[in-house]
Amino acid sequence: DKYSGNDYLEPALPKRSWYELGAQAYYLDGLGTGTGLSIKGHFWSFIGPYLEGMFFYEGEDYLRAVRLGMQFALIQSTGFTLELYGQYQAWQGMLDRQGGTFGVQFMSFPAKPVSLQIRSGAQFFPSFTVAEFDGRLGIMQGPWEFYGGWRWWNLLATNDQSIAVYQGPFFGVSRYY
């Protein structure tokens, strides 16, 4: 290699860590307009933080949600990653509750520059559960991702009877490190 003075090239080491810093704007029918920030990634090749903050508002009503947790990769390949996630969650505003969020997330880059992410899980609280699903499609531009998607939340009573469904579009931008 002419830059280091070596006569040979050393193989590149695999990247063991990555992080994504994201911002979203969304609307959930029945819950209102919202914004959110997220930080997720891997500080080792298979495990890392998954932190989210969300703020919904409709008129004078609001709901603040904070999720603090981890994600764990079950399968990693060049084409896709399948992960489990678990988070402590606190809601404040229209509802004051604390609980946990658990689920599975699929991430893929099927063809340059397209990205695809699907997340399915549940938010567990003492008196109700929220089934959740997010699907998003994005375009990568260097370390930046610009995306749009659909979020669906089904609020369930303890007997699994649906109380309310909140759904709507979201748009965002993420920066990968």
Side-chain angles (χ1 to χ4, degrees):
D1 159 305
K2 66 182 182 179
Y3 299 108
S4 66
N6 293 333
D7 293 323
Y8 61 92
L9 294 175
E10 293 184 28
L13 295 174
K15 189 171 183 178
R16 301 252 181 235
S17 64
W18 64 269
Y19 295 94
E20 174 191 345
L21 177 60
Q24 288 185 0
Y26 36 79
Y27 174 78
L28 289 181
D29 187 31
L31 200 53
T33 305
T35 57
L37 295 174
S38 65
I39 299 171
K40 62 182 179 175
H42 290 172
F43 47 70
W44 287 310
S45 59
F46 63 93
I47 192 168
Y50 198 172
L51 316 172
E52 297 175 283
M54 296 176 267
F55 185 76
F56 296 95
Y57 51 91
E58 188 165 44
E60 296 292 317
D61 292 331
Y62 73 92
L63 178 65
R64 234 184 333 247
V66 176
R67 296 179 176 190
L68 309 171
M70 301 289 284
Q71 57 188 4
F72 177 80
L74 295 175
I75 300 171
Q76 288 184 339
S77 73
T78 304
F80 73 94
T81 300
L82 182 65
E83 298 181 322
L84 294 178
Y85 64 90
Q87 299 165 304
Y88 160 79
Q89 178 167 275
W91 283 8
Q92 183 183 33
M94 289 184 263
L95 289 172
D96 292 328
R97 299 284 190 274
Q98 294 181 19
T101 300
F102 303 96
V104 63
Q105 180 169 268
F106 171 83
M107 298 179 293
S108 178
F109 299 93
K112 286 186 178 183
V114 177
S115 64
L116 172 68
Q117 290 191 29
I118 298 171
R119 178 169 85 169
S120 181
Q123 304 171 41
F124 297 96
F125 296 97
S127 58
F128 63 93
T129 301
V130 179
E132 64 180 6
F133 175 83
D134 290 5
R136 87 184 203 193
L137 191 60
I139 299 292
M140 298 295 299
Q141 294 293 316
W144 296 93
E145 178 187 17
F146 302 92
Y147 58 86
W150 194 262
R151 177 168 290 137
W152 175 86
W153 285 2
N154 187 2
L155 182 62
L156 303 165
T158 53
N159 63 359
D160 290 335
Q161 181 181 2
S162 181
I163 299 170
V165 173
Y166 305 110
Q167 60 182 332
F170 63 89
F171 302 94
V173 61
S174 289
R175 170 68 159 89
Y176 287 85
Y177 297 92

